[in-house]
Amino acid sequence: MNEKITYTREEIEARVKVPAIVEAELKYLVEERLKQCGLYYRIFSRIKTAESLSRKYQIKEYSREKKIQDLVGLRIDVYFEDDVKICQNILEDLFSLVEWSESEMSEIEFKPVKINGVFRLPHYLRKQISEETWGMCIDDTVEIQLKTVFFEGWHEIEHDMKYKGGELWSGKNSFARYFNSILATLELCDKSLVTLFENLGHDLYKEGNWAGMMKAHYRLKMEERPMYPELEELLNEDKGENNLGKRLFKTERQVLIRELLNQPRRIPINVNTIAALLNQAVIHDERLDHLFHEKDVFDDGNESLGEEIAFHTMKPLQKSSVFRARVNLSTYRYDRHTACLEAARLAYQWVYEKYGRLLGTLPLKPVSLERNVLGYRLVFCYEPEKDYWEMEVTNVDLDAPGQLWVAEARCYLAQDGRQMLEVRNSYAVAEERRNYLNRYFSCPRFYSNIADRIGVFDVRYCSTSRRILKPEQVPKIADLIRSPRRTFPVCIFFSEEGENGWLDESWLENFRVYDFTRMAGRYTHIYTASLTVGQALTEALGLSWDGAPGVHIYRAGCADAEGAIDQKRRTCYAEADVTGCSFGRHQHYSDMRRYNIVKGGQAFYYKLLYEMRGEMLGDSDWETL
C-alpha cells in the first residue's frame, strides 16, 4: 500500500514560491476579456497559503496521477445567469482547458450551482513559480470558479454551515427544508432577472425608445453616451416589416458579445458602437455604414477607456535582458578588420534610421559621438584602427509608462585572434515589475542584419537556411555539442528517410522546419537528419537512441570537462509531444494583450521557439558601457 504523501507547513513555505505577479497577471488576462465584452462581474483571486496546502495534504491523498490543481485560484461572479456559459467560452479561448466540473442539478433538492474549470498555467507564468513546486504533487494549473452573484452570497454559508456542518441538521428536517426554499428563491431570482430585462426591452422596443431597448436587451456595462440623432432618426423613420429597430431587438445578445470579443482592441461600448457592430455583423445596412463611417464611431469617446494614472515615489530602474549574444564574426566574406568595420556600419545605420530625426543631425558614417535628447541617449565609440567599436542606445517606451529600452553592442579583437561581437537588448523597470522577466523577447534588428550580411560563428557557423546532416559530419556536430565555448542551443530534427531520399517530416504536422530555421537560426544551431545519422550522433555522444523520429535539444554547457552529456541540459521531444502539444501565445495589440491557445504542430512551433528564445534571455556577464 502506498504511503500517504504529506508535507509540513515549513516544508511547503521553503519549496513552494509563487510570486504575486502570477496571481495578478491571471486576473488581468481574464478581466481584460470581461471588460472587452462589457459583462457585469466581480472577480476574486488567491494563492493557496502553506497552511491551506498542508491541511489539504492531510485530508486528501495525492500522487503523480492525482495532483493539487488549485494552487492559484480565481472566482468570477456574474450578475446574469446566461453569462456563466459566456464566461466558460471566454476562458476556453483564453487558456488551455484541462476539465470542467459542475455540481449536479436535482429535481428534489436546491443547492448552489458551482462550475469549476481547471486550466494550464501559461508557460511564462509557470516559469515564475519555483521549480520545486512541481515535485510536491502540485499541478501546473489554475482553478477558476464560476457562479452568479445571488448564489455566491449564500455559497460560503452553505459550504461551512451545511456541507461541513452536517451534524447541525441532524433531525432538523423543517430547518433544512426552509434553507433549501431560500436557495430555490435565489435560483428563481437568477432566472427571473433575465426574463425581467427581456420583457422590459420588448416594451421599450414597442415604445420606440431605442436606447433604452438596447440597454435592457443586451444587458452590458455601457457608457452613458447619447444616441446619435441621425441614428435615432433612421430608426424612427424605418417602418418596414423588417425595420432596423426590430432587427436590433431580434439580434441575440451572444452575437453582440462575440463581435466585441473579436475586435483587435477594446472599444467603447455604447448604443452607437453596438448598432455599428451589429450592422457590420448581421444587418449590413448601407445607411448605417455611411453614418458610422462619418462619425468614426469606434474611436468616438475612446478616451473613456483610459485608466487613472497613479503617481508614486520615484524608484531606481532595474535592467532585465531580453536578448543577448556573444559570437565571432564570419570571415567567409570579409577579413577580420573589414568584418568589424562592416558590423559597425550596419549597427550605426540602424541607429541613424531609428533615431536620426530625434537626435539632431547625425553624420552619415560611424564616428565616435554622444547625443542626449530628453528620453533618448546615444553613445557610439568608434576606433577602427583597433578593430573596436561599442554603442549604447537608450529610449523611453511610449507604450509602457515607466519603462526604458537599452540596446548595447561591443565589437573587439580577442586575444586568440577572433573578431568578437557582443550584443545585449534590455528593458529597465522598477524593481517590483521585474517579475515580468521572459515576458519579452526582442532581438535588435542590427544584430539580425549583421548575422545575415556578414555571418556569425558560435563555434560553428549559424544559418537561417535549412541544413541536413550527412554521416561524415557527425564528429563535427558531436564536437559542437560538447564544446564549452558554445553559447547557443543545438536543435536537431530526426526523421525517417523516404525511398526518394527526402526526409519524411509529416510527423511534425504543420510545423515547418524551414520557417523555424528562418526565425531562430540567428541564435540557435538548427539541423535536420535521418534516423541513421541520429543513431550515429547519439552513439558518438555516449547516449541511448530509441530509433524514433524526434527533436533533440542540447543547451549550452550541456557537457562536463570529460565530454559527458548532462541529461538535465538535454531535451528530447517525440511525435506524441508534437501532436499533443498545446501552447498559449500572447498577441499584442495597441491597448491590450490577447492570449490565444493553439494545438498540435503549430503549438509545438511556438513552444520550441519560446524555449530557444528563453536561452537568449537573462543577465550577461560582459561589461556594459
Side-chain angles (χ1 to χ4, degrees), residues 283-345:
I283 297 176
H284 309 302
D285 185 273
E286 291 184 359
R287 296 167 296 174
L288 293 180
D289 282 338
H290 179 73
L291 168 62
F292 294 131
H293 178 73
E294 290 293 318
K295 291 285 188 179
D296 197 11
V297 62
F298 296 127
D299 287 322
D300 183 16
N302 203 30
E303 70 277 2
S304 62
L305 296 178
E307 297 181 359
E308 293 184 5
I309 299 176
F311 293 93
H312 304 283
T313 303
M314 295 294 102
K315 299 178 181 179
L317 302 184
Q318 302 291 329
K319 252 191 334 188
S320 295
S321 298
V322 293
F323 178 85
R324 59 175 181 170
R326 180 192 280 113
V327 294
N328 61 300
L329 295 179
S330 168
T331 55
Y332 283 165
R333 298 190 181 99
Y334 308 100
D335 58 54
R336 294 183 180 88
H337 177 70
T338 307
C340 174
L341 301 187
E342 181 66 7
R345 186 189 69 79

Side-chain angles (χ1 to χ4, degrees), residues 145-324:
Q145 298 180 351
L146 297 176
K147 301 186 186 78
T148 63
V149 169
F150 281 128
F151 268 117
E152 173 54 32
W154 280 93
H155 174 257
E156 187 170 355
I157 295 175
E158 191 270 347
H159 184 263
D160 291 348
M161 302 293 288
K162 194 165 187 285
Y163 173 71
K164 286 185 177 179
E167 71 281 355
L168 300 178
W169 306 88
S170 178
K172 306 294 184 183
N173 292 342
S174 61
F175 288 98
R177 180 178 176 83
Y178 192 8
F179 189 88
N180 285 339
S181 70
I182 294 173
L183 296 178
T185 302
L186 293 175
E187 185 172 321
L188 182 62
C189 288
D190 267 336
K191 296 182 182 300
S192 299
L193 197 60
V194 174
T195 303
L196 166 68
F197 280 102
E198 279 300 304
N199 292 338
L200 174 62
H202 186 254
D203 258 26
L204 294 169
Y205 158 69
K206 290 192 295 185
E207 293 173 3
N209 184 342
W210 310 116
M213 176 270 287
M214 293 168 73
K215 290 179 182 178
H217 177 58
Y218 294 114
R219 291 179 277 122
L220 299 180
K221 193 173 290 187
M222 299 186 194
E223 299 178 333
E224 290 298 326
R225 294 185 66 82
M227 180 175 281
Y228 293 149
E230 300 91 336
L231 174 58
E232 187 171 11
E233 185 178 347
L234 271 176
L235 294 171
N236 288 332
E237 291 178 352
D238 194 4
K239 302 295 185 182
E241 173 65 24
N242 197 23
N243 60 72
L244 290 175
K246 184 176 183 179
R247 295 175 72 181
L248 285 172
F249 180 69
K250 289 292 184 181
T251 301
E252 294 184 357
R253 181 169 177 265
Q254 287 80 357
V255 173
L256 172 60
I257 291 173
R258 184 183 67 238
E259 290 303 311
L260 286 165
L261 290 171
N262 284 340
Q263 299 307 302
R265 63 179 176 87
R266 184 151 54 97
I267 65 172
I269 303 176
N270 53 57
V271 292
N272 302 308
T273 55
I274 287 174
L277 277 178
L278 295 180
N279 185 56
Q280 286 183 3
V282 295
I283 297 176
H284 309 302
D285 185 273
E286 291 184 359
R287 296 167 296 174
L288 293 180
D289 282 338
H290 179 73
L291 168 62
F292 294 131
H293 178 73
E294 290 293 318
K295 291 285 188 179
D296 197 11
V297 62
F298 296 127
D299 287 322
D300 183 16
N302 203 30
E303 70 277 2
S304 62
L305 296 178
E307 297 181 359
E308 293 184 5
I309 299 176
F311 293 93
H312 304 283
T313 303
M314 295 294 102
K315 299 178 181 179
L317 302 184
Q318 302 291 329
K319 252 191 334 188
S320 295
S321 298
V322 293
F323 178 85
R324 59 175 181 170

